[in-house]
Amino acid sequence: MTSGSLTHLQSLEAESIEILREVAASFERPVMMYSIGKDSSVLLHLARKAFFPSKIPFPLLHVNTTWKFREMIAFRDAMAEKHGFDLISHTNPEGLANGINPFDHGSSRFTDIMKTQALRQALDAGRYDAAIGGARRDEEKSRAKERIFSHRNASHAWDPKNQRPELWRVFNTRLNPGESMRVFPISNWTELDVWTYIYSEGIELPSLYYAKSRPVVDRQGTLIMVDDERFRLEPGEQPRQEVVRFRTLGDYPLTGAIRSDAATLPGIIMEMQASRTSEREGRLIDSDSVGSMEKKKQEGYF
Amino acid sequence: MSLAALTPDTDIALWLNQQTEKSLLRFLTCGSVDDGKSTLIGRLLYDSQLILDDQLASLKKESHNRTVGDEGIDFSLLVDGLTAEREQGITIDVAYRFFSTDKRKFIVADTPGHEQYTRNMATGASNAELALVLIDARKGVLTQTRRHSFILSLIGVKHVVLVVNKIDLVDYDEAIFDRIVAEYRAFAEPLGFSTLAAVPVSALRGDNILAKSGRTPWFDGVPLVPYLETIQVAEDRTLGKMRFPVQWVNRPNLDFRGFSGTVASGVVKVGDEVLIASSRRPAVVKSIVTMDGELSQAVAGQAVTLVLDREVDISRGDMLTHAGETPEFSNQFQARVVWMSEEPAYPGRSYLLKLGTQLVPATITDLKFRTNVNTLEQTAATKVDLNEVATVTIATDKPIAFDAYTSNALTGGFILVDRISNATLGAGRIDFGLRRAQNLTYQNFDVNRDVRSQMKGQQAKIVWFTGLSGSGKSSIANLLEKRLTAEGRHAYILDGDNVRHGLNKDLGFTEAARVENIRRVAEVARLMADAGLIVLVSFISPFEKERRLAREIAGDIDFVEVYVDTPLEVCESRDPKGLYKRARAGEIKNFTGIDSPFEPPTTPELVLHGAENEPAVLAEHLHGWLKI
Ligand SMILES: Nc1nc2c(ncn2[C@@H]2O[C@H](COP(=O)(O)OP(=O)(O)OP(=O)(O)O)[C@@H](O)[C@H]2O)c(=O)[nH]1
Ligand SMILES: [Mg+2]
């Protein structure tokens, strides 16, 4: 810091830390969503910084659909062990009992039951009054509209037409009984900011982000990795090895891989700069229809 | 606006360096409805090649049946991300978008022009350094153009670009452009912007956005993007007085106690003597802790943890500063507020005020005047309506640390929050503190029961419970008090126990003494209600005459008589204090229900049947009935 003022990444980091501390200071039962992806990894790193030398003063919540890449779960447990945070994993018990899966029930029903409903169950069970998430405004058009401290009514619904004004860094954190807040500390980060921060801070990520030879099948132009024996192959279909990586991580049958040989962070950053498609393209759930994210958010999805 | 050339041979570190060296400009678009703000932002995103192939494809599909440019795209769809916005073709809330050119990074807030959503425009302006004020060339300067400009000046946005849009619809006419610019300059003169440039554009067709347009040969200024890339707006907040608002006390174990927060302005160094604003106590900065190691100094914008050399009482909301450079510390100041709620602001109402990390109850003590957004004229007012700007004095329940907004927006800007709904009602900027606030407080302003009640966010009243001993009066009153307290109300119970042992311990049980007992209790209840409290009186009060006396003493205070009607047999079987037994045994004389009558009230406001329901149910019913 030669000039005495902060670089862009340093300001973003400081802003996020301030938001995380505001949550810890203003709410009784905060929780941080931990989805194991790159944004969650950045969030975890920021939370460790925000409260150092104290431990992160709230638990991390993972909503496990049971269809995550196997490596994600191993990575999650290793991180909890290494950084000593409280990890809560929740799976929708009815969904599990009914064997809800992306093959038989379709992506939108599966997502609704195993993600949205599961999340609501976990938030209700924990009586959390604030849930911190890693969403960014540059991800999607309705996210670009959301406040950093985003109010939810007693049924977890977002009212996009009636958001609280949010001036300067003065956040209105007040709630009535039953209401809650979703808080997005990295709202103002772009995908490039996230990658450059990961690079400059040396943040660990699941290796799925890096190119490697993996068994995939082609489904209408989307490359899906066959991560375990539950995957339903079409008659005669054979997974073939391809060098691929993922731009975003989620449920493996619903997450498209891209052909790439970027096996390092600089390689990824370079490839991203040249890319002409958005990161969410790989997420099968968003492409359903315009306004689908807003609708999901109104129902309580992150 | 090509992307910086990045090849596998480029040194990534070097490239990243270039990226981080780029400065950042935060700006917003504002102006009247339909002037083309969202279209302009969409155009900027499109021209900076930020719209990726998959997004472009879906955009083209959606643009069907809408106003489109040569590219076949309705650019406003790129920013109007809510379903309701697309359906109505207007912007409702701010969209934050990000783009960058070879020279600069930009965060842009696209705000709504619709008057109803002015609060969202203020939200977008509060973190911006520059504003694009859009004008539809066919319509010229409108009320909303003026309102937004006024709000920009209040919030302290110093740099303005007047974007005269839809110039294609007026045949690229120079005279129209000149006339609009002249009119706007005349209006904006008193608003004191540091820079004010003007540019004729067509957001839809792309004129004068990236480069000079051949269709406006008469325009000799700089096109929009080159202007935004080069204008100098940065203010060095490290040069200001040091302000460190304590956000969170960092206490991992008994050996470490640090104060976490973000330096709002100035620089704090290890070894500095700092003062705590509230107590004026000094301490020395022993270390500046971060996870990346200890620092020798922290500058404005950095989020750190300070450790001091001694044990001092500091909690969230305190502010650390350098001696000789302390902020104001007072409970009264003058401010200008932008009102953001349908429910108007009135003097005397109590709100919660949040400034930095400080949260205190506060009252608007005086409404000096309202400013007309069209003429900037100041007029007298008794209330502030939605989207109006007023100059007020505010008194806080306890002193807070602050600076004038002009010297520091982070320590001089505040919001007002409703004490019951918790909605954000308004935003304000402190103009100056009123020194010796104690003497000046409430100068234009009578302190009366209404004011005191409103400060507590409630309506004062007396709830008078009457009924036999053991009928359930006290249980119900207790539950009601708990419920009210949980809701943030201020209630107090007067009953035999807390009155007989003190105030009335000189009174016996003769007829005269009983009347005196009631008289005193009624007077105390009246005083307490006058102080703004909800007073719950739980007395057997068996005689109609006594209860009438209490009601008369209450005067104009809301008086609610609640008859807890529980049959004598039930009360006697409960006998919680064993009094009935003793009365039957003749140990207590004149016991109501046994050897002294109970006159059931003839016109109580409410009857609760104590034998039919649990006290909790009755308390709940009463709470609902009272509509507090
Ligand atoms: N011909 C022409 N039409 C334009 C231009 N800019 C915008 N429009 C049209 O004007 C209409 C309103 O544009 P918007 O961008 O939605 O206006 P806005 O200022 O964002 O509106 P609000 O946010 O609701 O206040 C749309 O139909 C646009 O296509 C322009 O430069 N030329
Ligand atoms: Mg708009």
Side-chain angles (χ1 to χ4, degrees), chain B residues 42-57:
Chain B
R43 160 65 70 183
L44 289 174
L45 295 174
Y46 179 82
D47 282 354
S48 58
Q49 292 164 27
L50 233 95
I51 309 309
L52 303 171
D53 293 347
D54 53 323
Q55 298 167 330
L56 211 55

Side-chain angles (χ1 to χ4, degrees), chain B residues 342-356:
Chain B
E342 304 279 342
E343 171 74 14
Y346 292 100
R349 287 265 165 100
S350 175
Y351 305 103
L352 287 173
L353 179 146
K354 191 171 184 198
L355 185 151

